[in-house]
């Protein structure tokens, strides 16, 4: 079992819809999680960080963390074609060391 | 530009040659990470430094790979006797970690794409 698992893709949503991306992790000691966006041929770009149970909102993005169930999710509201990318979940971060990445979910937003 | 920079952006080499990549982190960032990414996979951890100290190295990393951060600023990653399986995107990231903070936002450079023929 991988330490960080992401829901299999690809995911396709129409423009304006909500895109939901999920990630589960295996280690209950995990403290912090990160969502990165990666456009084809580019490097990952940090879009959200979450450290506490519950929701964290930033513009059209909402990250949700549930430590009891060991999952973290990312919701993208009012999806735009420019959101089309691969989204990477990263964690855990023991003692703020290395990050372990999932393999990503590719999102396509259709106009 | 105050982001993470990497050089070169692309490298094509023949099998058996040695290659070296450079990473310049965001100024004042004390941690520097190297990852490797192949198509369809997430970044795979290679090694990381806090200042000039190498704190962890992946057990998957063969002894052909070595990294340095001699003055706690830029870092180099060297691959000796390259193999075709080394073809990948090599990513560098940096973070600023005050003592006692358990989280670690990492910011990535543009990567170096290595092709081994």
């Amino acid at each position: 079992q991988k330490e960080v698992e992401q829901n299999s893709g690809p995911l396709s949503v129409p423009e304006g819809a909500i895109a939901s991306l999920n990630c589960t992790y295996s280690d209950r000691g995990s403290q912090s999680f990160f969502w990165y966006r990666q456009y084809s041929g580019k490097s990952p770009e940090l879009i959200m960080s979450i450290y506490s149970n519950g929701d964290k909102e930033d513009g059209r993005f909402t990250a949700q963390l549930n430590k009891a169930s060991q999952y973290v999710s990312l919701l993208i509201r009012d999806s735009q074609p420019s959101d089309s990318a691969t989204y990477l979940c990263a964690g855990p971060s023991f003692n703020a060391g290395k990050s372990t990445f999932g393999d990503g979910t590719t999102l396509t937003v259709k106009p | 530009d105050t982001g993470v920079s990497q050089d070169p952006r692309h490298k094509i080499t023949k099998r058996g040659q040695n290659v070296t990549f450079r990473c310049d982190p965001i100024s004042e960032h004390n941690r520097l990470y190297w990852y490797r990414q192949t198509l369809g996979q997430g970044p795979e951890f290679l090694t990381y430094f806090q200042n000039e100290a190498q704190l962890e190295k992946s057990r998957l990393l063969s002894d052909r790979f070595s990294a340095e951060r001699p003055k706690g600023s830029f870092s180099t990653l060297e691959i000796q006797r390259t193999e075709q399986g080394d073809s990948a995107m090599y990513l560098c990231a940096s973070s600023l970690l005050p003592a006692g903070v358990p989280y670690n936002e990492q910011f990535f450079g543009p990567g170096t794409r290595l092709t081994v023929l």
Side-chain angles (χ1 to χ4, degrees):
Chain A
Q1 180 187 6
K2 295 192 69 172
E3 292 181 48
V4 176
E5 298 266 8
Q6 295 191 238
N7 56 326
S8 59
L11 177 65
S12 179
V13 300
E15 184 175 357
I18 295 175
S20 177
L21 305 161
N22 300 314
C23 174
T24 58
Y25 59 94
S26 59
D27 196 311
R28 290 188 174 275
S30 307
Q31 296 183 26
S32 53
F33 296 88
F34 309 91
W35 284 99
Y36 289 83
R37 177 176 62 199
Q38 187 171 28
Y39 293 114
S40 180
K42 303 295 185 181
S43 62
E45 172 192 11
L46 180 66
I47 56 172
M48 290 286 284
S49 306
I50 187 164
Y51 322 114
S52 303
N53 270 328
D55 296 357
K56 179 182 178 183
E57 187 174 321
D58 184 2
R60 296 185 296 109
F61 298 93
T62 299
Q64 300 173 319
L65 175 59
N66 184 322
K67 292 188 177 182
S69 301
Q70 296 178 243
Y71 85 79
V72 59
S73 63
L74 180 70
L75 299 177
I76 306 174
R77 291 181 301 280
D78 189 24
S79 296
Q80 301 297 307
S82 60
D83 295 326
S84 297
T86 296
Y87 289 81
L88 298 162
C89 173
S93 183
F94 301 116
N95 297 319
K98 67 179 183 183
S99 285
T100 301
F101 285 81
D103 287 334
T105 300
T106 298
L107 171 67
T108 300
V109 180
K110 295 185 176 181
Chain B
D1 189 347
T2 58
V4 178
S5 62
Q6 293 186 245
D7 184 71
R9 297 289 302 275
H10 303 275
K11 179 70 177 179
I12 299 174
T13 191
K14 293 182 179 180
R15 186 177 53 187
Q17 298 295 304
N18 299 344
V19 294
T20 300
F21 308 142
R22 175 178 170 127
C23 172
D24 287 87
I26 294 172
S27 180
E28 305 304 320
H29 275 194
N30 51 5
R31 288 207 169 181
L32 186 150
Y33 304 78
W34 286 99
Y35 293 88
R36 177 174 60 189
Q37 187 177 27
T38 54
L39 192 63
Q41 306 293 313
E44 174 191 26
F45 170 76
L46 296 179
T47 188
Y48 83 94
F49 295 83
Q50 177 157 316
N51 300 314
E52 65 275 10
Q54 188 173 20
L55 296 188
E56 187 175 351
K57 183 176 179 180
S58 170
R59 288 172 291 178
L60 300 177
L61 208 60
S62 79
D63 56 9
R64 296 185 297 107
F65 288 72
S66 62
E68 294 182 339
R69 195 183 183 197
K71 297 183 178 180
S73 56
F74 73 91
S75 175
T76 58
L77 176 69
E78 181 182 18
I79 308 174
Q80 296 182 326
R81 306 181 302 281
T82 53
E83 301 172 356
Q84 288 184 325
D86 297 331
S87 296
M89 175 77 87
Y90 289 83
L91 296 163
C92 175
S94 70
S95 67
L96 176 62
L97 202 70
V101 175
Y103 52 85
N104 183 22
E105 294 181 339
Q106 298 177 24
F107 298 90
F108 283 85
T112 295
R113 183 167 297 282
L114 173 66
T115 301
V116 182
L117 301 177

